[in-house]
Amino acid sequence: MRIDFDGTGVVQQQDDELWVPARRVREALSWHLVAEFLGRSPGQLRVVEAHNGDDQYDELEIVQRDGRDPDFKVSLNRVGSAHFRDPDRGCIDFSKQWTSIWLDALVVDDPRVIVDELLRRAGLARRSHLPPGTPDVVTVRAIAQLLAPSVFERRRFECRNGYYYGSSGGRVRWEWFEAFPGSIPYVRPREDDFRGEPAFRFWFLLRDHEPRLALEDTGRAWTLQGDEVDIVGPCRRAGTLQAVTARLWPELFG
């Protein structure tokens, strides 16, 4: 997207171009929305990274954890819109496509409004009281909190899945696992693995494309120094994630 400035320093843009937030903002926003969405139904949904559209999309897909409804899907495409699967037809329902989600998420006073609308378009009930967070939800919330400060950074920060899943196929990102040897023994199958692949449970926080932290959605994290960090225990004891994120923050930004 081309940005121009007038003589007074005010941003000018071509009329045929759509305003979208910077990539670093969409990265942090997407994880915040996913964390809130999964928090409404802890233990029932999961997030995976996907690259559909001939590998052009960069999506966080929310799917059912137990796989009973394979046609349920909410896709947050960081280079496009939010998409929703039509369960009756088994394909994307373009009538529910949310093209302005990234701008809308920036301008609302309460981000829960955006999550409520995502739930409505996905056909899920809105909850007035949130249940306690399960380890997978706590892990995703930790990712969202760790990425939040990156909105103001010049370096590139992002969170990527342990499995690359796209239109042209998929593969385990072993090069990242190898940076955290302590995580490798846990890359073994579990009954609830997405598509039977354990690497989907793992996430890597990257700085300028290099892995800085590894996390598993069971509530574990690993540092480059070889430390294994419990995410869930300190969070439950303190009632907040701040103790955990304060421990991990220097590993990402230091």
Side-chain angles (χ1 to χ4, degrees):
M1 180 175 64
R2 184 169 63 86
I3 296 292
D4 295 319
F5 294 86
D6 66 11
T8 63
V10 176
V11 174
Q12 303 292 307
Q13 191 169 11
Q14 301 297 322
D15 291 338
D16 60 349
E17 292 180 319
L18 176 67
W19 278 103
V20 292
R23 175 63 178 76
R24 64 184 186 279
V25 177
R26 282 174 280 149
E27 177 78 20
L29 266 177
S30 64
W31 279 99
H32 177 77
L33 295 178
V34 165
E36 291 298 318
F37 197 106
L38 267 60
R40 305 294 180 95
S41 302
Q44 299 179 31
L45 303 171
R46 74 184 328 142
V47 59
V48 298
E49 176 191 335
H51 299 274
N52 295 303
D54 294 326
D55 294 326
Q56 296 182 68
Y57 296 173
D58 181 15
E59 305 163 271
L60 291 180
E61 286 188 349
I62 299 170
V63 298
Q64 285 195 337
R65 180 167 286 273
D66 58 17
R68 285 183 297 178
D69 184 2
D71 288 328
F72 175 85
K73 183 185 297 182
V74 176
S75 168
L76 301 181
N77 182 14
R78 273 84 67 90
V79 294
S81 310
H83 300 274
F84 307 85
R85 181 77 69 173
D86 184 336
D88 296 325
R89 294 184 297 165
C91 61
I92 295 295
D93 184 350
F94 287 99
S95 68
K96 295 180 181 179
Q97 184 178 212
W98 192 349
T99 58
S100 60
I101 183 171
W102 305 117
L103 280 179
D104 294 344
L106 285 178
V107 300
V108 296
D109 291 327
D110 187 346
R112 288 178 296 183
V113 173
I114 302 297
V115 179
D116 289 342
E117 179 63 11
L118 283 170
L119 289 167
R120 186 189 71 80
R121 297 193 190 206
L124 297 179
R126 174 185 173 185
R127 296 192 180 206
S128 56
H129 299 287
L130 299 185
T134 48
D136 56 313
V137 172
V138 174
T139 303
V140 172
R141 284 177 173 162
I143 292 171
Q145 284 196 18
L146 286 165
L147 283 174
S150 69
V151 170
F152 304 100
E153 296 284 338
R154 295 179 62 187
R155 305 182 81 168
R156 183 185 179 106
F157 293 87
E158 57 195 321
C159 186
R160 293 295 179 185
N161 201 212
Y163 191 85
Y164 182 91
Y165 167 48
S167 299
S168 59
R171 67 176 183 88
V172 178
R173 286 160 158 160
W174 285 116
E175 67 274 19
W176 294 345
F177 282 101
E178 289 168 0
F180 305 92
S183 69
I184 294 178
Y186 294 95
V187 190
R188 54 179 182 262
R190 290 173 41 145
E191 188 175 332
D192 65 345
D193 283 334
F194 182 66
R195 300 191 175 216
E197 175 53 65
F200 276 116
R201 299 198 310 267
F202 294 81
W203 295 92
F204 295 88
L205 282 160
L206 312 180
R207 185 178 73 193
D208 292 335
H209 309 289
E210 295 295 328
R212 303 291 300 181
L213 282 168
L215 302 95
E216 185 185 6
D217 71 6
T218 55
R220 299 184 186 92
W222 293 268
T223 70
L224 288 172
Q225 290 73 39
D227 297 329
E228 182 175 317
V229 180
D230 176 20
I231 299 175
V232 178
C235 175
R236 288 178 174 169
R237 288 192 294 271
T240 176
L241 266 170
Q242 290 181 348
V244 176
T245 52
R247 163 69 178 86
L248 297 178
W249 190 90
E251 306 292 335
L252 185 60
F253 293 97

